[in-house]
Amino acid sequence: MSMHSPAHPSQSRIAAGILAALILSLPAAAFGKQFEAWGPAAVEAAVNSAAPDGCPIESPNGRSLYIASTRSGTLGGNDIWVAHRTNDASPWSAPENLGAPVNSEFNDYCPTPLHGNWLLFVSERPGPGTCSAGPGKGDIYIARFIPSLGWGAPRHLGCDADGTGPNFPGGEFGPSLVTTSSGTFLFFSSTGYGADMNIYMSRLQTDGRFGPATLVDELNTEYADFMPNVSRNGLEIVFNSNRPGGEGLQDVYTASRASTNDPWSELVNVGTNVNTAGNETRSSLSGDGERLHFGRDGEIYVSIRNKVTGGD
């Protein structure tokens, strides 16, 4: 199988510049929604397999569901797959492997689809320009799908150590991009330079590169806090943590804020409709905020909540 080498730091600047152009075309976020509590979680039967499945996240239009899985047909490790549907009420199709060059013989996971057929994801593929490599030590990449050509070669987002991007020597997980009136921000979790898993934020700079990643202090503890996902309007975040006081090994937590200039509120465990004695991981919000996808002990689940007030 052919392998695409990770990009040189100068290429990462090109990738970030492309991403900056994409961001300028994003639709305006909807503000002011209020929701009921999350309903009982249900297994997403159509997308699960006998192998471990996780990292679920909808495309911005809700018509595709990206996942990571070790099921039969992978290119050698954890691969990224995608299922489709025609509308919100339709069942998901059987997941399809994205193939090379997004997937490799190494572990590829934490997909995050963006507008314009762009995809952020994490990969453990080694090579020149990587900041970390090895089991659990992936870096963040970006790739784009062009219908007439397929997936382009993934571009590495650069390293914190040399100032070219957000990736640390420790492993990165759960990239989440949000554009607000305050700027464009990349949230993710990492062990950084050897610490516990914490949530970080990196701001897109005017030169098209992501700036130094900083800890989001109000979300982190001395325990593992990881795989954040931020709502489209930047006012709500979900992530998983093994901090004490939860229902099990890892639970889904949430926080909100009144504006994107404010700190995050006190964290709230989303409750027993979602969390159990098992492991709830990599939760993600749909674009309209009405669905919460997450993994639990190797299977993919979804919880639904109803909108009370606010526009689409």
Side-chain angles (χ1 to χ4, degrees), residues 102-193:
V102 171
N103 290 318
S104 68
E105 62 185 280
F106 300 93
N107 290 323
D108 305 291
Y109 46 88
C110 288
T112 303
L114 307 173
H115 286 279
N117 295 326
W118 292 89
L119 181 74
L120 287 169
F121 67 101
V122 176
S123 178
E124 295 177 7
R125 64 192 73 190
T130 55
C131 316
S132 58
K137 291 188 176 181
D139 284 349
I140 303 173
Y141 290 76
I142 188 170
R144 191 183 191 189
F145 181 79
I146 299 175
S148 61
L149 299 174
W151 286 100
R155 301 279 186 166
H156 187 269
L157 287 195
C159 300
D160 180 84
D162 61 12
T164 62
N167 290 303
F168 289 106
E172 279 69 59
F173 293 88
S176 180
L177 190 75
V178 60
T179 296
T180 73
S181 59
S182 304
T184 295
F185 302 91
L186 178 69
F187 288 80
F188 62 96
S189 65
S190 177
T191 53
Y193 289 99

Side-chain angles (χ1 to χ4, degrees), residues 58 64 86 97 106 112 164-165 200 213 260 264 308-309:
E58 285 188 19
S64 300
T86 55
N97 191 303
F106 300 93
T112 303
T164 62
Y200 288 82
T260 54
W264 294 102
V308 177
T309 61

